[in-house]
Amino acid sequence: MQLHSLFAETALLPEGWAEDVLFEVDGAGYLSAVVPNARADGVERAAGPVVPGMPNLHSHAFQRALAGLAERARDPEDSFWTWRALMYRFVAHLTPEQIEAVATLLYVELVKAGYTAVGEFHYLHHAPDGRPYDVRAETGLRILAAARSAGIGVTLLPVLYGYGGFGGQPAGEGQKRFLNDPDGLLRIVAALREAAGADPQVRVGLAPHSLRAVTPETLQATLAGLAALDPEAPIHIHVAEQTKEVEDCLAWCGQRPVAWLLEHAGVDARWCLVHATHMEPAETAGLARSGAVAGLCPTTEANLGDGLFDGPRYWTAGGLWGIGSDSHVSHSPIEELRLLEYGQRLHARRRNVLRGAGPAIGAALYGGALAGGARALGRPVGRLAPGCRADLLVLDPQTPALVGLSGDTLLDALVFAGNRNPVRDVAVGGRWVVREGHHRAEAAALRGFAAARRALLA
Amino acid sequence: MQLHSLFAETALLPEGWAEDVLFEVDGAGYLSAVVPNARADGVERAAGPVVPGMPNLHSHAFQRALAGLAERARDPEDSFWTWRALMYRFVAHLTPEQIEAVATLLYVELVKAGYTAVGEFHYLHHAPDGRPYDVRAETGLRILAAARSAGIGVTLLPVLYGYGGFGGQPAGEGQKRFLNDPDGLLRIVAALREAAGADPQVRVGLAPHSLRAVTPETLQATLAGLAALDPEAPIHIHVAEQTKEVEDCLAWCGQRPVAWLLEHAGVDARWCLVHATHMEPAETAGLARSGAVAGLCPTTEANLGDGLFDGPRYWTAGGLWGIGSDSHVSHSPIEELRLLEYGQRLHARRRNVLRGAGPAIGAALYGGALAGGARALGRPVGRLAPGCRADLLVLDPQTPALVGLSGDTLLDALVFAGNRNPVRDVAVGGRWVVREGHHRAEAAALRGFAAARRALLA
């Protein structure tokens, strides 16, 4: 299972495609050398082109059990908010064992599809009656166990969730499993840091859920507490996903939510603003300047009818961005990148909208999501370079969409052609986790997931 | 390979989900009996839920070789029209052998993904210099051979393509392989009808390419000639895919293209209007009333930046519609249906937009595409009922997205959750073509495709 060295006829390095690349991996799972134009002597050869594994910057793992079950029109104005009410009912009775089972299957699916790291924005902290578990970080530890079972790198982002609306409004019944205060959350953060230890596969940050769920005071206290533990730790927050949130924020403080955050919260390179769908041009430019990452979740944003991110303006301003699978209606980075661009094309009525400086849109999308995703997760991933984690995918050259292609054209076809999963082998942190499309933990994970789902539907 | 009878614990029949269904198939591949609440005695049992195979109403098979190769920003205003110029250059040198090789792989992919019938809108009739092949229907016969190799049902729609723009403008250099007149086209139709013979897997209709490519006189002559051969034969046409086409049509005749067709072309249940993206409300209502099918191609329409079909108005008016994979950037009916709805959600900022009368959107989408697709292809498909073709899919109950689900909820999850192909076994016309995810002709088809693509890229 351990990968010491690998030879690839072609591989995507930070500076572009290279030929005859020799990768060497140290005992802790870091790349120790990456040498183009090398010789293969006696080294395992990758069965196809090698690309970096994709970071998935936004996951609510437990929602995987709900994927596909909320596509019912119960209301003529079916929306994000009716979906949320359904989700609340669904999670009311989830046990820690079920959370782990669902997360394990999800993470197996993510790795098989080419995600090698995930940011788990985890807010289901407490027992069904709202009281803390005896082990305060119980559910977060279940997430960590699931990530280790599936072999995916993880950034744990336990959530500050104190209120039901802007300005400290009381939370609703459906939110009682989520509720905590800065002190309670920081105890969970400390427990997760202890459980992570020196494991290079794990990072711990935190996530104020949204401006709806905090006050300026609880936000400030939480950020100060985190900085005392780890001044570089990642900070994620949901923001401006729905127009109602923007309206409520304006009513509360006279500013739009992204504008408020940029002015009051010290948004910088530690931050990931998830969704940021509804921004005015000055907010878009300000977010791009801040060094924070826009956490885009195209399939969930489409599924929930959120609306369209102002991609052209943000791209022009050079903003960082990455992708997340969020509610897990999809677990494919390809579907996220494809839908990100297709939403823009349908709106703008032209082609190749979200390109970078050059003509290669597949490379621009794949590379952009690698860079922003790595930043948001606060781990040395997304680059096949010395000192980074050995997180890599071997693509199947027999995938019809890729046959006969190479270089950036191969990335175009990877993102924009076909439906078959092109990922053949996956190494995470220098260990083979998927070989020839098979994940070692898959069968057991599916049994656990099936049992959890049957119990939830009973 | 021949299927005589099959028992399914659960199956989607025209009246809805039924249990313990016994299917019997006659020697010609038609369902002879469909009996719910039956006993399984001695009959092969389906390994999972059975649903009808999906008709694919719009294909340009040769474009499969180009999928993924046109995602380059060559022009700051990259559009449908720059894509078309690229496609013309690409097809300039395709040989009949390459057309057959590309189509064979495509059709294998379509069947594996759950399409059991395809409408091939075929306009690459002539040799690179524009002259007819010695066998006039050479390329159409290659398409027929590919469909037979892959085991997919096919509706052959050879194309009338006479001009380069409205009102009989001369065609361009890139279009010379497409050009013919009504008499030339009807000779091809007759040759294909002869090659099809009594094969129940084949139907022959025709397709005026678009109002850009015909005049009222050539359209009229062609339709009269077809009616003399087969008064019920399917008639397909591209219409209103791009706003430029609408503008040019207004300049030519003062009417928009769908309005012109509805008033002048005798549009009725034989017709499929492909795309129909840009319609005013009266056109949308008129198309719904006409009995024609709207041929929606969501992934291609997104890829080409065409714009969004007015789904809510057309659905409310009860219009028929189906799906096509068109340029073959996707070959999954799931991706087409998902993107059809997601495009609407992103635009309307709400959920579950394209539902039918009931709450079940997955069932409404899958069922709608079956009904409209069957109508457009002019073949007895899309329904598991006596007298229809035995075209059926066995879904894999171990697909994570479907685990533990049944009935319409299973269809919701089929359309809206996951990325793994859930199709386990496929029967077309009473013959097993895919078993346990494997297609008998797959390996050879991939070799043929790879050789063709390498030659084209050389």
Side-chain angles (χ1 to χ4, degrees), chain A residues 78 303 335 345 352 412 419, chain B residues 72 78 303 345 352 419:
Chain A
D78 215 15
N303 186 283
E335 188 177 9
R345 292 189 192 186
N352 300 329
D412 287 343
N419 307 87
Chain B
R72 291 276 138 147
D78 215 15
N303 186 282
R345 291 189 191 186
N352 300 329
N419 307 87

Side-chain angles (χ1 to χ4, degrees), chain B residues 156-182:
Chain B
L156 296 167
L157 299 159
V159 168
L160 177 67
Y161 204 122
Y163 305 98
F166 285 92
Q169 297 171 40
E173 174 72 12
Q175 296 163 331
K176 68 185 175 187
R177 296 191 71 178
F178 316 156
L179 299 178
N180 54 20
D181 58 20

